[in-house]
Each structure stands twice: as structure tokens, then as C-alpha cells.
Amino acid sequence: MSALHARAVAHESEEMKLVFPNGEHGQVLLSAGVNRIGTAAEGAVVLSGHALNPLHCEIHVTGTGANLQVPQGGGPVAVNGKPVEHIMALRSGDQIDIGAVVATFAPLEPERGTAAPDVARHADEDTGATRVRAALPRFVLRGISGAVADRAFPVGGPVVIGRAPECDITLPDDEISRRHALVKPVGDGLSVEDLDSSNGTYINDRRVQHGFLSPGDALRLDAVSFLLVAPELDIPPDAARGTRIDAAPVARGAARRWVPIMLVAAVALAIALFALLPG
């Protein structure tokens, strides 16, 4: 069973970067989403070396921090000397050994005397770092009930959902286990794994230990529900398969629309009857 290493996920408010102290690569700003590292030309960080694979590892940046993942076919990676078998949370200052290449995970610090971060971002000065184009997440979990209603959570890599503050999606609900479920992109949807939660994980109201979530499916953790959507297939929340839709708001909206029409009809009828009265 894959699981996040028992370290607190970094909650970094500033932008993060990779610094290569031995000069194998210039420093690279990490963008939200997936940052692929290896010898493949399409990666965010392209390295060379006999001990490196085309897709050696990935750094997933989310709204709550960053995780380093070794995908299938990846190569040996260590964080602060500890080998990473699958996933490990990153913190500012961590040393990452990518094969024989050493990198440091560090915050981007504005130059002294420059404008505020938002202004400096558009200034002419070159910080020396290469900005990587942000990779849009293929999938988004949209909250449709409970504490996550009307909120959206991009899923660009493995995401742990639970009550613990170090989870990627934290749900402040006593009925949610500290580490309730793990979701991650696989093919055309998300694989779902229940992390031995007390109250279970459900896909379209069917309890699962391991399952697959397709766009349009509903994921429920006790009273908290999400709808899986894809950026190119934006599905409204009431289209979720297996979810119950409350028709009362629709009926109330329809009634409000008919009120002015009925009033106009009543006035017209009164005028017609008045015209027919004998003078």
C-alpha cells in the first residue's frame, strides 16, 4: 500500500525552486502541478548523466505543499540521504539526490531593494531562474457537500485526504479519519484507496477499499462529497452519477419566474371584463 512518508507536508507560502550547487543545471522555479525531472527533453528539468532515466522523478506542487514522487520506471532518489521508494513530502532546505546529481529544494527570495513580489514578477530584472510553464491538472475534485462545498481541488499527483493538518486536502470533520483516503491520476480518472478509515470511502454510494473514479463520478467520505471533473469536460455538480439532487430549489426558482407572468395575465383579464360591463 502506497502512503506518504510520515513527515509534515511543507506549507510554503512563497514560490519554491530547485538549486543545483554543483552546476549541473541553472536554478528552476517550480510551478503548480507536475514538474518532471530526467533526461527527456520535454521535462521541466532536463539533466544528463549515465545514471539518470528519461523520467527519473517528479515534484508535485499543490496548494498545501510539495511532494517528491518516483513514478514507475523512475530512478534512485534520496531526500536528506533517505531513499524515496514512492512518495515523500518536501520541506524547505531539503537536499535531493537525483542519481548522482544534487539539488536543494529552496524558497525563491526576492532581491534586496526590488519591488513587492507581485510587482517584481513583472519587472525587467532577470532573477537568473528559468520559469517553467505551469502544467494544468488533468483532474479537479469539486466539493459538492459538507465542509468542501463550492471549493475546487486540483489533482496533479497523489493526494491524501483526511482530518490531519499534513494531508493535501484537510477536512475539519470528526467523522473523517486522520488519513482517510488516497487518490492519484491513473489513465482517464483517479485511483481511489481507502486508508483503513473508520467510516469508509464511497464511489457513487458504493463502499470501496480500492476503486476507480471517472469524470462525473462522486467520491464520498462520510458526509463530505466531491465530484470529479476534467478541465476539458466541466460537469455541473448536479450531474454526478449516484448522487441525490434536491428538487426544491429548482421548484422555488420556477415559481418565482411564474409570479410576474401570472400577475400580468390577471391584470389583462380584469381589463377585459371591465370593458364588457354595460355603460
Side-chain angles (χ1 to χ4, degrees):
M1 180 180 72
S2 61
L4 285 174
H5 189 274
R7 303 173 60 200
V9 176
H11 290 266
E12 302 289 353
S13 59
E14 64 268 64
E15 290 182 296
M16 302 301 294
K17 64 182 178 181
L18 281 182
V19 179
F20 297 84
N22 297 329
E24 294 91 345
H25 198 288
Q27 59 180 312
V28 177
L29 302 185
L30 298 174
S31 298
V34 182
N35 297 266
R36 296 179 174 87
I37 303 172
T39 61
E42 64 272 15
V45 181
V46 181
L47 301 172
S48 60
H50 67 279
L52 295 171
N53 295 351
L55 178 55
H56 201 91
C57 62
E58 299 173 339
I59 294 179
H60 298 259
V61 178
T62 69
T64 57
N67 299 314
L68 187 143
Q69 178 182 0
V70 180
Q72 186 175 2
V77 181
V79 174
N80 299 328
K82 184 176 183 62
V84 180
E85 296 181 0
H86 184 48
I87 304 173
M88 182 176 288
L90 292 176
R91 293 181 294 190
S92 178
D94 281 347
Q95 177 180 304
I96 306 173
D97 297 318
I98 308 168
V101 177
V102 177
T104 302
F105 183 69
L108 178 66
E109 298 177 357
E111 297 181 2
R112 292 183 180 179
T114 60
D118 288 341
V119 177
R121 200 172 289 128
H122 302 286
D124 294 333
E125 299 90 84
D126 189 348
T127 64
T130 302
R131 181 175 294 278
V132 179
R133 184 181 298 275
L136 292 177
R138 293 182 58 201
F139 305 104
V140 174
L141 285 174
R142 178 183 295 170
I144 56 177
S145 71
V148 297
D150 300 324
R151 296 175 60 191
F153 303 89
V155 181
V159 171
V160 173
I161 308 173
R163 193 178 75 250
E166 63 266 21
C167 290
D168 298 297
I169 300 178
T170 302
L171 305 177
D173 191 324
D174 291 338
E175 308 302 323
I176 301 295
S177 296
R178 289 186 56 81
R179 297 178 71 256
H180 199 108
L182 169 68
V183 299
K184 58 183 177 180
V186 175
D188 295 330
L190 301 182
S191 69
V192 178
E193 179 182 350
D194 182 82
L195 301 178
D196 299 323
S197 67
S198 298
N199 292 320
T201 300
Y202 297 80
I203 297 178
N204 297 332
D205 290 330
R206 180 175 62 86
R207 186 166 184 169
V208 298
Q209 183 64 38
H210 294 85
F212 185 79
L213 197 69
S214 298
D217 283 342
L219 173 67
R220 180 168 64 84
L221 284 60
D222 194 61
V224 176
S225 296
F226 302 87
L227 172 71
L228 179 63
V229 298
E232 69 276 8
L233 181 61
D234 193 14
I235 303 173
D238 58 0
R241 294 190 288 272
T243 57
R244 184 177 301 169
I245 306 301
D246 184 6
V250 177
R252 288 193 294 268
R256 285 195 296 268
R257 288 194 297 271
W258 277 103
V259 167
I261 298 174
M262 295 173 65
L263 288 175
V264 171
V267 172
L269 179 60
I271 293 173
L273 291 175
F274 181 79
L276 295 176
L277 292 175

